[in-house]
Amino acid sequence: MPFQVTPFIMLDGNAKEAIQFYASSLDAKIVFTQTFGEGPQNPEHPLPNEAKDRLAHSILKIGDADLFVADHFPGETYQSGNRVQICITTPDTGTSERFFDALQQGGQVLMPLQKVHFSPAYGMVVDRFGVTFQIFTQRQ
């Protein structure tokens, strides 16, 4: 797989409701869900109670296409311009680094490209046109 581009809808606490709506409205299959509370916890940065039930990630299959839906973390800025983001899935960290470095030119890094529990290289950047991209590297 060279890479994949997926729309990513970010909501403010109602992502679970949204994926049920999309499942029934669009004949979507819910492939995966995980709340912030179900993810690995960092004792140095305890998860606030209001974050535990929010959806950290979900994958819906609509026909042959994927749609990602999640909630913003409590306290993050939520505005109409950052509701729909683009997630680029790459097969290796080299491709992720190349894409991330190019997109940040004249833009703003929201989360540096780094190793996280679900990816060897993941980061978020707003490009110079105001579009938010999530760069996600698959595990080998």
Side-chain angles (χ1 to χ4, degrees), residues 16-31 60-62 67:
K16 288 180 184 176
E17 177 185 350
I19 65 171
Q20 293 301 322
F21 173 75
Y22 297 139
S24 65
S25 301
L26 303 174
D27 294 330
K29 180 181 177 189
I30 300 170
V31 177
L60 284 79
K61 189 64 110 175
I62 304 171
L67 174 66

Side-chain angles (χ1 to χ4, degrees), residues 110-130:
L110 299 178
M111 178 182 176
L113 194 65
Q114 60 191 302
K115 183 178 180 180
V116 293
H117 75 276
F118 55 85
S119 173
Y122 173 81
M124 295 177 65
V125 61
V126 178
D127 73 7
R128 66 182 186 190
F129 303 104

Side-chain angles (χ1 to χ4, degrees), residues 1 5 19 28 30-31 38-40 47 52 54 58 72 84 91 107 109 112 116 124 129-130 134-135:
M1 176 188 129
V5 177
I19 65 171
I30 300 170
V31 177
E38 293 169 331
L47 191 64
K52 291 180 181 177
R54 283 184 174 231
S58 70
H72 281 276
V84 178
V109 172
V116 293
M124 295 177 65
F129 303 104
Q134 296 185 33
I135 306 297

Side-chain angles (χ1 to χ4, degrees), residues 1-8 57 59 66-68 85-100 103 113 118-123 133-140:
M1 176 188 129
F3 60 90
Q4 175 181 342
V5 177
T6 306
F8 200 129
H57 189 58
I59 301 171
D66 289 337
L67 174 66
F68 296 166
Q85 302 177 1
I86 305 296
C87 182
I88 301 177
T89 302
T90 70
D92 59 78
T93 57
T95 303
S96 292
E97 289 168 354
R98 186 167 50 88
F99 287 173
F100 193 85
L103 288 169
L113 194 65
F118 55 85
S119 173
Y122 173 81
F133 285 88
Q134 296 185 33
I135 306 297
F136 169 77
T137 311
Q138 288 187 322
R139 290 186 186 147
Q140 301 299 332

